[in-house]
Amino acid sequence: MSAAEKEESGVHEAVTEIAGQRIITYARLEKVDDLDGETVKDVETYRFSAFDDEGEQTYHEIDLSPESLEKFRDVLKPYVSASREAAPVSVGTTQKTLASGAKSEWLKRCRAWLKENNEEIGDKGRIPNSLQDKYVSAHPEDPKPE
């Protein structure tokens, strides 16, 4: 296969040497539309945020063809037209802001109590609202800071 044929067909070549043997691997990268499962040449990745069942903001990526992107935009159209424009907020900035001051200390106490009470919680990351509520119920003298 010539270099031009590889480029046109989306085939990528990887050369590896193992124990003195040259191994050439060919792979074709195909993007699949996450909405309909079709493999289409012009699929692009789009990022968006939404809210989960607990009201927490979540961040997503989806691969869509132009046709699926149009469907996605059509579904959002009434919400976008009723909304106000807002300045973008980076995830890192939001997390730093939320984890500052009194709230940071409260979250440390909450996380420690949850671990002591055998709740599955990591050393870092967001504490689900349902688990924060358990802490508040057990410690009414230590309400969640705003």
Side-chain angles (χ1 to χ4, degrees), residues 40-58:
V40 185
K41 189 174 186 176
D42 52 354
V43 169
E44 296 290 335
T45 301
Y46 298 92
R47 293 178 180 213
F48 65 98
S49 67
F51 292 90
D52 65 17
D53 293 339
E54 294 180 4
E56 295 294 319
Q57 190 169 13
T58 57

Side-chain angles (χ1 to χ4, degrees), residues 114-115 117-122 128 131:
L114 290 166
K115 285 183 175 189
N117 287 275
N118 300 316
E119 293 290 345
E120 286 191 33
I121 187 78
L131 294 179

Side-chain angles (χ1 to χ4, degrees), residues 8-122:
E8 187 175 311
S9 66
V11 173
H12 300 274
E13 178 181 291
V15 179
T16 309
E17 195 165 311
I18 299 175
Q21 297 292 315
R22 186 172 176 209
I23 300 171
I24 301 173
T25 306
Y26 296 96
R28 175 175 294 142
L29 176 64
E30 294 181 334
K31 281 195 172 182
V32 176
D33 184 310
D34 290 331
L35 193 61
D36 63 18
E38 296 291 321
T39 301
V40 185
K41 189 174 186 176
D42 52 354
V43 169
E44 296 290 335
T45 301
Y46 298 92
R47 293 178 180 213
F48 65 98
S49 67
F51 292 90
D52 65 17
D53 293 339
E54 294 180 4
E56 295 294 319
Q57 190 169 13
T58 57
Y59 300 89
H60 306 268
E61 280 189 351
I62 190 167
D63 297 331
L64 297 173
S65 68
E67 294 79 18
S68 292
L69 177 60
E70 187 175 334
K71 290 177 187 175
F72 183 65
R73 286 181 173 153
D74 286 345
V75 169
L76 292 176
K77 215 172 263 183
Y79 302 97
V80 171
S81 58
S83 68
R84 298 175 297 284
E85 274 197 49
V89 178
S90 75
V91 176
T93 302
T94 303
Q95 290 171 344
K96 286 176 190 169
T97 302
L98 293 177
S100 65
K103 187 159 187 174
S104 176
E105 293 305 312
W106 185 87
L107 289 169
K108 286 178 186 175
R109 291 190 301 275
C110 178
R111 189 179 305 277
W113 181 85
L114 290 166
K115 285 183 175 189
E116 288 170 12
N117 287 275
N118 300 316
E119 293 290 345
E120 286 191 33
I121 187 78

